[in-house]
């Protein structure tokens, strides 16, 4: 998904038009627009969201593990200081949060359900409980399966080869976010901050990869120009 932007566009278009999965559209928009880790995403509460200032406060993540007291939700602090950050929202992300609030209201999701002392979670299951980490991946897998089934049937009717979406996870969505920001030539230190990378080497790996592709594309375009002008 991170390699081909058309896959991302097809995925998002399918979600928005789906009667089954369209309620997840704001969440996916936020994932791609912020680059949040899965635990950071499902751990977000409305107290972390400032629509007026257009910021997302990240200072914890939600995990579901057995820490000696049975399998349950636990709040975990970031492993490094770089994980604690305030991410500015784009207009698109701010709109997605507003849409998510409306969805939660329309579905009458219980705001009082707690997870390790935290409540008012932005993204929840139908019961009002926070989303499970593997629940986010399950939704992604189900959507890809649904898309591919429709695409196979459409391709048969149109007598062409089906262009299937690859199976991808929440981690790939985070990598996609990083890639999109790098493609926009965002300052590498800013990108490192937004992604919460402890070491800039991780950010530079994505940044340099995009830079190399851009240089290659520019050189091919230059060769094309030389041939046309010859």
């Amino acid at each position: 998904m991170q390699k081909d932007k058309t896959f991302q566009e097809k995925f998002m278009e399918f979600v928005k038009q789906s009667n089954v999965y369209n309620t997840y559209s704001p969440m996916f928009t936020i994932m791609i627009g912020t680059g949040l880790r899965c635990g950071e995403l499902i751990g977000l509460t409305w107290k972390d969201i400032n629509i007026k200032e257009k910021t997302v406060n990240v200072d914890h993540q939600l995990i579901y593990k057995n820490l000696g007291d049975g399998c349950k939700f636990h709040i975990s602090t970031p492993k490094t200081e770089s994980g604690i950050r305030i991410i500015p929202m784009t207009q698109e992300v701010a709109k997605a949060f507003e849409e998510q609030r409306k969805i939660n209201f329309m579905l009458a999701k219980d705001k009082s359900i707690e997870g390790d002392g935290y409540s008012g979670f932005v993204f929840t299951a139908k019961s009002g409980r926070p989303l499970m980490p593997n629940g986010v991946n399950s939704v992604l897998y189900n959507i890809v399966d649904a898309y591919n089934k429709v695409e196979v049937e459409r391709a048969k009717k149109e007598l062409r080869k089906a262009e299937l979406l690859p199976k991808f996870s929440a981690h790939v969505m985070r990598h996609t976010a990083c890639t999109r920001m790098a493609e926009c030539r965002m300052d590498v230190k800013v990108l490192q901050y937004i992604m919460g990378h402890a070491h800039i080497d991780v950010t530079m790996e994505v940044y340099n990869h995009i830079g190399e592709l851009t240089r290659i594309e520019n050189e091919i375009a230059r060769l094309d120009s030389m041939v046309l002008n010859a």
Side-chain angles (χ1 to χ4, degrees):
M1 184 174 177
Q2 70 271 29
K3 295 180 180 179
D4 189 345
K5 193 172 183 178
T6 60
F7 280 173
Q8 176 189 330
E9 292 168 346
K10 290 176 181 177
F11 172 81
M12 290 301 295
E13 182 180 357
F14 179 79
V15 172
K16 289 176 182 178
Q17 294 180 355
S18 170
N19 292 328
V20 178
Y21 300 110
N22 57 7
T23 55
Y24 292 104
S25 178
M27 184 177 75
F28 296 142
T29 298
I30 291 164
M31 291 174 76
I32 294 174
T34 61
L36 289 170
R37 297 177 176 89
C38 187
E40 294 170 341
L41 178 83
I42 63 175
L44 283 179
T45 69
W46 287 109
K47 290 182 179 179
D48 299 314
I49 311 304
N50 189 325
I51 296 294
K52 185 178 180 180
E53 297 294 331
K54 289 187 170 56
T55 59
V56 180
N57 180 60
V58 183
D59 60 10
H60 65 275
Q61 59 181 339
L62 192 64
I63 60 175
Y64 188 78
K65 286 185 178 181
N66 183 350
L67 300 181
D69 52 357
C71 286
K72 59 196 313 185
F73 285 108
H74 295 276
I75 291 294
S76 172
T77 55
K79 295 179 180 178
T80 63
E81 290 186 5
S82 58
I84 300 174
R85 60 206 189 277
I86 296 176
I87 303 175
M89 297 182 198
T90 61
Q91 292 287 353
E92 186 178 26
V93 169
K95 183 179 178 181
F97 273 115
E98 291 174 341
E99 290 177 356
Q100 185 64 43
R101 193 188 293 273
K102 291 177 183 177
I103 289 172
N104 290 0
F105 176 77
M106 288 189 295
L107 296 180
K109 293 189 176 182
D110 190 345
K111 300 178 184 177
S112 65
I113 294 179
E114 293 189 359
D116 201 7
Y118 282 62
S119 61
F121 291 96
V122 176
F123 305 107
T124 66
K126 293 179 181 178
S127 63
R129 295 181 71 227
L131 283 179
M132 301 278 282
N134 60 359
V136 178
N137 286 332
S138 293
V139 170
L140 288 170
Y141 300 156
N142 289 339
I143 292 174
V144 169
D145 286 343
Y147 175 93
N148 287 341
K149 287 179 181 178
V150 172
E151 171 60 12
V152 167
E153 291 303 315
R154 186 185 294 126
K156 284 181 181 178
K157 292 179 180 179
E158 297 174 359
L159 302 177
R160 60 174 175 80
K161 184 178 179 180
E163 297 179 1
L164 304 180
L165 292 181
K167 183 178 179 179
F168 59 90
S169 64
H171 179 73
V172 174
M173 290 282 276
R174 172 171 158 80
H175 194 279
T176 298
C178 188
T179 301
R180 296 293 169 255
M181 293 177 198
E183 286 174 343
C184 294
R185 310 311 297 172
M186 179 182 286
D187 181 280
V188 67
K189 290 297 292 183
V190 173
L191 181 54
Q192 179 190 6
Y193 170 81
I194 290 175
M195 297 303 295
H197 289 153
H199 304 289
I200 198 168
D201 292 359
V202 180
T203 316
M204 287 302 299
E205 184 176 346
V206 176
Y207 204 82
N208 286 337
H209 176 65
I210 298 300
E212 288 169 5
L213 286 178
T214 301
R215 287 194 292 272
I216 292 169
E217 289 168 356
N218 288 341
E219 287 303 303
I220 295 299
R222 187 173 66 84
L223 287 174
D224 279 343
S225 177
M226 290 174 65
V227 171
L228 290 173
N229 294 328

